Amino acid sequence: MTNDRIIFFDTTLRDGEQSLTSSLSTEDKVQIATALENLGVDVIEAGFPVSSAEDFRSVREIGKALKSTVPCALARALPIDIESCVQAFQNVERFRVHTFLATSEIHVKSKLRTNWSNVLDRAKSAVKMARKWTDDIEFSCEDAGRTSLKNLVEIIEAVIKEGATTINLPDTVGYCTPEEFGAMFKFVVENTKGIHKVVLSTHCHNDLGLAVSNTLSGINFGARQVECTINGLGERSGNCSLEEVAAIMYTRKDKFPFKNNIKMEKIYKTSQLVSRICNIPIQPNKAVVGENSFSHSSGIHQDGILKDRSTYEILGPEVIGLPGHKMFMTPRSGKHVIQHQLKKLGHQESSYNLPKFYEQFSKLADKQGHVHDYDLEALFWLGHEGEEFYSLSDLTVSCGTNKISVAQVALKSCEHKYQTSASGLGPIDASFKAIKKVVNKNIVLSDYKITSKGKGCDSTGQVDISILFNGKTYFGKAIGEDIVEASCRSFIQAINNGHRDEKVQMKKIENEIKDRECFI
Ligand code: KIV
Ligand code: ZN
């Protein structure tokens, strides 16, 4: 085993999956496992096959689907568990059995209700048994972080003698500080016979937000395998996040000069896939993969980034597979970023008056909070933010159990009133269909998000929508106690933005024709 390489062991499908409120289907798991393999993960913990027939099936299918990544399955230190892993991987050439047993005093006494010598015997027998079928055996000392160092050394020596090839020292409850966690590895490396024959591994939980720091500390004191999950999913506050460790190793090669197999440019896509399949949204300020990780809102930061990216960006978005950073145009954006954004949209400074334009921008930013490129274009070409094309004047819906939902919608546009009705899968679908009938354009709803503002029945809902209109994306946002009505208003706002942009495009064409005529 080379000492300059870190093995990435992903447990999204085991430790991550066991924390979800509803389990994933085999098909979902195979899709995630394939994405993890493409990401360059070395070992995938596919599940805990003895726990259910469905988990067994998933482990078996993942084992069959993987080509280069080593599939692994979890087993308690019990014959039935180990047999189940072996059966699941029956037709797989290379696989790992990961067997574990609690070693801390509290777990041995209160959970296992046994004594240390029995723990030692069980651990040895489990490894010995697994050795009959594979030479890739990982042994985990569950709750190693709270285990006496003397006991740790004793059990590790014993399982190495039986044939364990990877020794994992988990901070099962996320209790250790980085100093303590590193010291545990140092002690084990310096005092355990046979330790140089095996790979040492970290497995850190994030109860106190230290999972990544502890993992790095483990690496500093000899660990060469890191167990982690995508987006930090896992029991309670989660596990060490794979993308964070990979990004640290990429950004701070000076501190972590190790090779690894992770294809950084696949990180964002994998993170999005796992979030979508597991139905766990990523917090916007999550390190590396959060929506805001590469967005700059403050005027000072935006100005700095435009002058030199490295002022406020230590990791480029393109590294993790994102096309570029985002500049959020908000009330805090300064003149410099507006100028930059207008230039990107093709407008030279000589074609507008910056102070005057900025004044209009600021008013709109105060009103909307966030100004999109198409809003800037409307300000530029129409000289104002544009009037509403449609507004909702009436809405009636009927829906219920075993009933077809029907919506009657009345929209106002200039002096005209349009009334129509449509049926749909639910009240929102029916209402949107009715609105689309009036607007009579090819509109595709590309995103719909509803968030409750408050907890009680009287709380309001915020509806954020994006639509595709003439091949471009437009956004709408509305808040209300009636979520069907708020949905319609949000939808109409997005449509109005699309309509206004059509007007802007017409203006542009007129202008081009005028320019050409002048030239002739
Ligand atoms: O947290 C833990 O200790 C575990 C073991 C099963 C490795 O998940
Ligand atoms: Zn765990």
Side-chain angles (χ1 to χ4, degrees), residues 14-15 74 98 100 140 142-143 168 170-172 203 205 227:
R14 200 277 297 167
D15 220 328
L74 186 70
H98 175 193
F100 74 100
S140 283
E142 193 192 7
D143 205 16
N168 184 34
D171 181 16
T172 302
H203 177 110
H205 279 266
E227 299 200 353

Side-chain angles (χ1 to χ4, degrees), residues 258-310:
F258 304 105
K259 291 183 202 133
N260 69 72
N261 207 23
I262 297 295
K263 296 177 185 58
M264 292 299 291
E265 69 283 3
K266 303 226 162 124
I267 281 197
Y268 185 74
K269 226 169 120 192
T270 316
S271 154
Q272 289 288 310
L273 179 89
V274 169
S275 165
R276 185 172 52 75
I277 294 182
C278 297
N279 199 18
I280 304 268
I282 302 166
Q283 79 191 61
N285 58 334
K286 161 86 178 61
V288 186
V289 290
E291 169 128 26
N292 296 349
S293 293
F294 301 99
S295 309
H296 304 278
S297 310
S298 134
I300 296 170
H301 291 203
Q302 290 177 337
D303 179 58
I305 284 281
L306 292 178
K307 288 173 176 152
D308 178 349
R309 273 176 65 169
S310 58

Side-chain angles (χ1 to χ4, degrees), residues 372 374 428 432 443-450 462-468 473-478 486-495 497:
H372 299 279
Y374 54 72
I428 293 172
F432 284 15
I443 298 163
V444 178
L445 182 71
S446 48
D447 203 11
Y448 175 95
K449 193 167 89 192
I450 183 155
Q462 176 175 317
V463 183
D464 288 283
I465 275 178
S466 41
I467 59 164
L468 279 173
T473 303
Y474 301 94
F475 302 92
K477 174 169 115 180
S487 300
C488 290
R489 284 193 287 107
S490 179
F491 191 46
I492 291 168
Q493 193 187 81
I495 292 170
N497 285 332

Side-chain angles (χ1 to χ4, degrees), residues 469-490:
F469 184 108
N470 292 337
K472 279 169 82 177
T473 303
Y474 301 94
F475 302 92
K477 174 169 115 180
I479 300 176
E481 278 168 7
D482 178 338
I483 55 165
V484 181
E485 200 206 57
S487 300
C488 290
R489 284 193 287 107
S490 179

Side-chain angles (χ1 to χ4, degrees), residues 199-334:
V199 175
L200 267 179
S201 168
T202 63
H203 177 110
C204 300
H205 279 266
N206 206 28
D207 299 65
L208 299 176
L210 290 170
V212 171
S213 303
N214 282 340
T215 298
L216 298 179
S217 191
I219 293 176
N220 283 336
F221 289 96
R224 290 296 175 265
Q225 173 177 285
V226 288
E227 299 200 353
C228 25
T229 59
I230 299 293
N231 302 334
L233 293 182
E235 280 286 349
R236 306 179 306 279
S237 312
N239 286 51
C240 172
S241 130
L242 184 148
E243 61 280 4
E244 291 179 26
V245 177
I248 293 166
M249 295 197 8
Y250 178 89
T251 313
R252 300 304 310 268
K253 292 186 186 82
D254 55 330
K255 296 274 173 202
F256 300 96
F258 304 105
K259 291 183 202 133
N260 69 72
N261 207 23
I262 297 295
K263 296 177 185 58
M264 292 299 291
E265 69 283 3
K266 303 226 162 124
I267 281 197
Y268 185 74
K269 226 169 120 192
T270 316
S271 154
Q272 289 288 310
L273 179 89
V274 169
S275 165
R276 185 172 52 75
I277 294 182
C278 297
N279 199 18
I280 304 268
I282 302 166
Q283 79 191 61
N285 58 334
K286 161 86 178 61
V288 186
V289 290
E291 169 128 26
N292 296 349
S293 293
F294 301 99
S295 309
H296 304 278
S297 310
S298 134
I300 296 170
H301 291 203
Q302 290 177 337
D303 179 58
I305 284 281
L306 292 178
K307 288 173 176 152
D308 178 349
R309 273 176 65 169
S310 58
T311 51
Y312 288 101
E313 233 173 55
I314 54 158
L315 178 73
E318 62 288 346
V319 172
I320 64 151
L322 272 171
H325 52 225
K326 278 194 235 149
M327 293 284 191
F328 278 148
M329 287 179 287
T330 69
R332 291 172 301 286
S333 298

